[in-house]
Amino acid sequence: MAMNSANGDKYTNTSDPTTTSFRRKLNLSFKHRRRGFSYIFFTRIFHRKYLLFLAILYIIGLITCAGPLLTILNPPPPPKPGSLYHSHELFQKLWPEIQSDNSSTIQLSSLWRYKRKLKEQRACPNATAGWQPASPGLRNYLIVDANGGLNQQRSSICNAVALAGLLNATLVIPHFDLHSVWKDPSEFADIYDEDHFISSLKDFVTVVRNLPEELMESYDFNITNIPNIRVQAWAPARYYLDEVYPVLQEKRVVRISPFANRLAMSMPSHVQFLRCLTNYKALRFSSPILNLAKELVSRMTERSLNSGGKYVSVHLRFEEDMVAFSCCVYDGGEAEKLEMDLIREKGWGKKFKQKNRVIAPGLNRINGRCPMTPLEVGMMLRGMGFANDTLIYLASGKIYMEERYLAPLREMFPLLQTKESLASADELAAFQGYSSRLAALDYMVCLSSEVFVTTQGGNFPHFLMGHRRFIYNGHAKTIKPDKSKLVVLLQNTSASWDTFKDQMELMLAESDRKGIMVPRVKKSTRKTSIYSNPFPECRCLWESLNASTRADLYI
């Protein structure tokens, strides 16, 4: 007992074997318990993660399987008729029949059946009556900057003459802006006959090449120092008389830049006469353009002797920038999309990536806003009855992927010509790099054709149709397809050649009928303007010129 009391507790005696064994067992028991607790703890965590993982897999499986299942149960609506480009597929299917079909060959000499009916009109007044060009001592001067391409500049020139007449001002020969897309540094005299322009207008509007020295001196001999008046688009005559005329009287000179589309289409009759006079008489192309154009027309006529010297011209807008700007989709797949995105970004920056910008290729095609491919033009003309030996002049810039897209048109019309095929490299050398001068050559050859085919809107076809109406007794002699109908027909790859032909013949007849129509509209637009429809406003000028004189103004 003494021993136990001395040590305080019998269990503290480590030399006792029984005690040592018991403590070992107790320690093992604690270790097993701790291991058991850890095992249970980690097992539960693992089970939870495993269950969570299985749940995630289950959800992914549902999404993966539900997508196709929902598509099967609720398929997306089929594409709207005309929204997709399948023209190449239809062509491949119908090509054997197109090759062998010569059943309804058109005679160009008897193509146009409708004639303009001449109604009794009031007698034309003396054209110069009431016009008093400003005397040298009292002159006020109008300066305008003509921007855009060839025919937008032409519109600006005609409107500038009309405005000078309205304000009784002397017009300074318009300056041409260097456009970021056209990139043509040509000046007025490079495109038009300056002397002819001035002399043709002398009884109505005085035109000078430069401002007088005393006025130039007051602006440090720099026209850009002249304060520029910013004018709203399509401004009416009253605006100019109320807002611009007082400034002109005070300063003696006004400058308007840019001037494209800055004058309303609806104007008093005497002002409209100035537009007619400028467009159909005063604006004659410069000698280099006119001489080569005459040669190209002569070569086209010689090659079409089997059709009486008559030929067809086609204005094709399938250049790279036009395809990109239209945001339409063709058959080039992902490579085409990437290329067009790059071209849009290079040419127009972030314009097509703005939040409010909606790009809808299918809708554009349905609404007839997509440029026609050469293949589509060929199928349309063959469907209308033009034989494969028809001589066709193709007016165009550099065609997008030309080798690929132009090949079907050449197959359908082997006699296809362009300015590059008609003229030698030496003849075209002076025109290369000048888009407006090249466009002027196309304009003249198209003007002289028996049939003109327009495939896309724009100033070129609008001005050309107006010129043709003026020359050809009111008939535009133009095929203007209904593209909204055409794209539906071209998307139907199950259509037969006979069915397609029937529809094309109806479309040709409609172009013939509309070729003599004068639109009746309350509000004039570019499509219904005096430049597209010269009658009745230009009737008096037309009557003052006989047929040969009208033709000699251009060719």
Side-chain angles (χ1 to χ4, degrees), residues 1 61 74 105 163 197 272 279 299 305 307 309-310 327 339 363 388 420 431 445 457 485 524 529:
M1 293 293 295
N74 187 24
T105 302
L163 181 57
F197 180 73
Q272 293 290 57
N279 194 34
R299 292 169 190 176
L305 292 178
S307 57
K310 300 181 184 298
C327 296
E339 185 177 7
L363 187 61
N388 69 340
E420 290 80 11
F431 296 81
V445 183
K485 290 182 179 178
S524 183
S529 75

Side-chain angles (χ1 to χ4, degrees), residues 169-211:
T170 294
L171 177 66
V172 179
I173 289 285
H175 169 70
F176 288 173
D177 275 348
L178 182 61
H179 196 273
S180 59
V181 175
W182 294 97
K183 299 176 182 177
D184 188 333
S186 298
E187 292 294 341
F188 188 98
D190 297 319
I191 306 295
Y192 298 106
D193 185 331
E194 209 169 74
D195 291 333
H196 178 79
F197 180 73
I198 294 172
S199 63
S200 297
L201 297 171
K202 64 181 177 61
D203 293 330
F204 307 92
V205 172
T206 301
V207 181
V208 296
R209 289 180 172 84
N210 301 292
L211 279 177

Side-chain angles (χ1 to χ4, degrees), residues 307-370:
S307 57
K310 300 181 184 298
Y311 60 90
V312 176
S313 63
V314 176
H315 181 228
L316 184 68
R317 291 308 316 273
F318 202 68
E319 300 93 346
E320 186 178 80
D321 61 328
M322 189 66 189
V323 175
F325 189 83
S326 71
C327 296
C328 295
V329 175
Y330 295 91
D331 58 334
E334 188 64 23
E336 176 190 300
K337 180 182 181 302
L338 293 173
E339 185 177 7
M340 291 297 107
D341 285 342
L342 288 173
I343 294 169
R344 281 189 283 267
E345 186 171 352
K346 181 180 177 181
W348 296 277
K350 303 297 182 182
K351 178 177 180 177
F352 291 91
K353 293 185 178 180
Q354 296 174 358
K355 291 182 179 179
N356 60 344
R357 183 85 184 194
V358 178
I359 297 179
L363 187 61
N364 288 347
R365 187 164 175 80
I366 290 172
N367 292 333
R369 295 174 183 169
C370 290

Side-chain angles (χ1 to χ4, degrees), residues 78-138:
K80 292 183 179 180
S83 63
L84 299 178
Y85 180 81
H86 287 319
S87 306
H88 57 301
E89 297 175 16
L90 182 62
F91 172 71
Q92 289 172 358
K93 175 199 167 189
L94 298 180
W95 176 232
E97 292 179 75
I98 296 173
Q99 276 184 302
S100 59
D101 184 15
N102 285 309
S103 59
S104 57
T105 302
I106 281 179
Q107 297 298 322
L108 295 185
S109 57
S110 58
L111 173 62
W112 307 113
R113 300 178 182 179
Y114 285 87
K115 306 294 180 183
R116 185 168 72 100
K117 296 179 181 179
L118 297 175
K119 297 180 180 180
E120 188 174 344
Q121 304 279 356
R122 288 179 298 177
C124 291
N126 181 358
T128 59
W131 289 103
Q132 294 181 349
S135 61
L138 300 174

Side-chain angles (χ1 to χ4, degrees), residues 259-307:
F259 190 63
N261 305 330
R262 290 303 185 271
L263 186 65
M265 287 297 178
S266 180
M267 282 281 143
S269 59
H270 67 287
V271 177
Q272 293 290 57
F273 174 81
L274 289 178
R275 279 173 158 161
C276 298
L277 182 66
T278 306
N279 194 34
Y280 300 120
K281 184 178 180 182
L283 281 178
R284 185 171 68 186
F285 287 121
S286 62
S287 293
I289 293 174
L290 208 57
N291 291 338
L292 182 54
K294 287 180 179 179
E295 190 60 40
L296 297 183
V297 170
S298 175
R299 292 169 190 176
M300 285 296 294
T301 303
E302 291 172 2
R303 285 167 167 77
S304 57
L305 292 178
N306 63 330
S307 57

Side-chain angles (χ1 to χ4, degrees), residues 214-465:
E214 67 271 15
L215 271 179
M216 286 296 295
E217 185 177 3
S218 62
Y219 292 102
D220 295 329
F221 295 95
N222 188 347
I223 284 182
T224 60
N225 290 335
I226 299 173
N228 183 36
I229 299 179
R230 304 291 293 187
V231 178
Q232 65 189 32
W234 310 112
R238 179 48 53 192
Y239 173 87
Y240 282 100
L241 293 173
D242 291 346
E243 303 294 333
V244 178
Y245 186 70
V247 179
L248 182 64
Q249 290 291 91
E250 179 186 354
K251 303 291 187 181
R252 288 192 61 205
V253 57
V254 294
R255 174 172 168 255
I256 304 175
S257 176
F259 190 63
N261 305 330
R262 290 303 185 271
L263 186 65
M265 287 297 178
S266 180
M267 282 281 143
S269 59
H270 67 287
V271 177
Q272 293 290 57
F273 174 81
L274 289 178
R275 279 173 158 161
C276 298
L277 182 66
T278 306
N279 194 34
Y280 300 120
K281 184 178 180 182
L283 281 178
R284 185 171 68 186
F285 287 121
S286 62
S287 293
I289 293 174
L290 208 57
N291 291 338
L292 182 54
K294 287 180 179 179
E295 190 60 40
L296 297 183
V297 170
S298 175
R299 292 169 190 176
M300 285 296 294
T301 303
E302 291 172 2
R303 285 167 167 77
S304 57
L305 292 178
N306 63 330
S307 57
K310 300 181 184 298
Y311 60 90
V312 176
S313 63
V314 176
H315 181 228
L316 184 68
R317 291 308 316 273
F318 202 68
E319 300 93 346
E320 186 178 80
D321 61 328
M322 189 66 189
V323 175
F325 189 83
S326 71
C327 296
C328 295
V329 175
Y330 295 91
D331 58 334
E334 188 64 23
E336 176 190 300
K337 180 182 181 302
L338 293 173
E339 185 177 7
M340 291 297 107
D341 285 342
L342 288 173
I343 294 169
R344 281 189 283 267
E345 186 171 352
K346 181 180 177 181
W348 296 277
K350 303 297 182 182
K351 178 177 180 177
F352 291 91
K353 293 185 178 180
Q354 296 174 358
K355 291 182 179 179
N356 60 344
R357 183 85 184 194
V358 178
I359 297 179
L363 187 61
N364 288 347
R365 187 164 175 80
I366 290 172
N367 292 333
R369 295 174 183 169
C370 290
M372 290 177 67
T373 63
L375 179 149
E376 292 173 324
V377 174
M379 287 188 68
M380 178 185 73
L381 293 178
R382 289 299 296 269
M384 288 177 174
F386 291 91
N388 69 340
D389 62 349
T390 303
L391 187 66
I392 292 180
Y393 178 84
L394 189 65
S396 174
K398 182 172 176 54
I399 295 172
Y400 172 58
M401 295 186 68
E402 181 173 334
E403 186 174 342
R404 173 185 176 185
Y405 280 109
L406 196 56
L409 180 59
R410 290 194 181 279
E411 280 188 289
M412 287 182 272
F413 293 98
L415 301 183
L416 186 75
Q417 300 290 335
T418 64
K419 52 185 172 291
E420 290 80 11
S421 65
L422 289 171
S424 68
D426 289 341
E427 288 174 316
L428 286 175
F431 296 81
Q432 298 298 347
Y434 299 97
S435 59
S436 291
R437 302 182 202 183
L438 291 169
L441 293 176
D442 283 338
Y443 191 98
M444 296 300 293
V445 183
C446 290
L447 188 63
S448 300
S449 64
E450 180 63 20
V451 179
F452 171 60
V453 183
T454 173
T455 63
Q456 188 77 358
N459 286 305
F460 187 102
H462 289 309
F463 268 84
L464 195 61
M465 289 171 68

